[in-house]
Amino acid sequence: MRTVKELRLAGLFAYLAALVLGLLLSYFLHVLLGGGGRLGWGSFNLAGLLEGLGFVLAFTFVLYLAKKAVRVPCTTLLTAGLLGPAPARRLARPLPRVEGLEAYEGRGVALLVQEGRPVGVLGLADHILPLEEVAGVEGEVAVSELAPLFLRQPLVLVFRGEEVLGAIPREAFFRHMGFGA
């Protein structure tokens, strides 16, 4: 699982690679066409239009390939890493803490705590699920990286070290990603 910082850096490198390759192709066309291309506010000609079109096509194609290769969200790629995806800690909602099984009322998901330390999750199955069996990520992991976890789990726990910050339910994840109402 990649962090927001790693995705922003990947988006920056992919964008810069697309920009450089687009400029190189445009320069190659400029040299190939005799160096007379003009594409600007004051004047333009056919060679300049071909150079500009070559840049746009190369830039777009390399961005497309980079998106497939580095798997970054479109906004991160198109802004050269300035806008990154949200971290998991931002989407996580706190879970109610239960000190013992007798305090659990059977409504919703709750975190079972013994001696101040979380030990399991109640409400996901017919029994207590130990924390090790529930999918969990660090708080700095990008939300866009959680999709494979939600294919198998209805809930993902978000940690900061040993502390449970909260949980992200499947419905909230899909709503955040734009797949739900």
Side-chain angles (χ1 to χ4, degrees):
M1 298 278 154
R2 296 179 294 176
T3 64
V4 174
K5 184 177 179 180
E6 292 168 343
L7 283 176
R8 290 179 68 185
L9 196 59
L12 173 65
F13 287 145
Y15 185 89
L16 290 177
L19 184 64
V20 167
L21 290 174
L23 288 173
L24 283 174
L25 179 69
S26 179
Y27 179 70
F28 176 72
L29 287 174
H30 179 74
V31 170
L32 188 67
L33 296 173
R38 291 186 312 273
L39 181 64
W41 296 106
S43 64
F44 63 92
N45 60 10
L46 182 61
L49 288 174
L50 288 175
E51 291 171 19
L53 183 63
F55 170 78
V56 169
L57 290 177
F59 180 72
T60 305
F61 182 69
V62 174
L63 276 180
Y64 172 76
L65 290 179
K67 178 163 177 24
K68 295 288 184 190
V70 239
R71 296 181 350 262
V72 294
C74 282
T75 54
T76 304
L77 183 62
L78 294 176
T79 61
L82 292 176
L83 296 177
R89 65 177 155 68
R90 187 177 303 158
L91 203 58
R93 296 294 168 243
L95 287 174
R97 295 177 182 268
V98 175
E99 289 292 330
L101 287 175
E102 58 280 345
Y104 180 62
E105 297 173 0
R107 283 184 262 150
V109 179
L111 192 64
L112 180 63
V113 179
Q114 289 180 349
E115 299 173 7
R117 298 188 68 199
V119 293
V121 177
L122 300 167
L124 284 180
D126 293 339
H127 57 282
I128 302 169
L129 285 177
L131 280 183
E132 297 81 31
E133 292 183 21
V134 181
V137 296
E138 281 292 321
E140 293 305 314
V141 169
V143 171
S144 60
E145 296 286 302
L146 301 180
L149 295 177
F150 282 109
L151 294 176
R152 297 183 311 264
Q153 301 284 333
L155 182 94
V156 172
L157 295 177
V158 180
F159 294 93
R160 181 185 305 137
E162 295 290 321
E163 175 190 5
V164 177
L165 296 176
I168 304 172
R170 182 183 289 152
E171 297 81 26
F173 169 76
F174 285 129
R175 198 172 33 251
H176 176 77
M177 296 303 285
F179 296 122

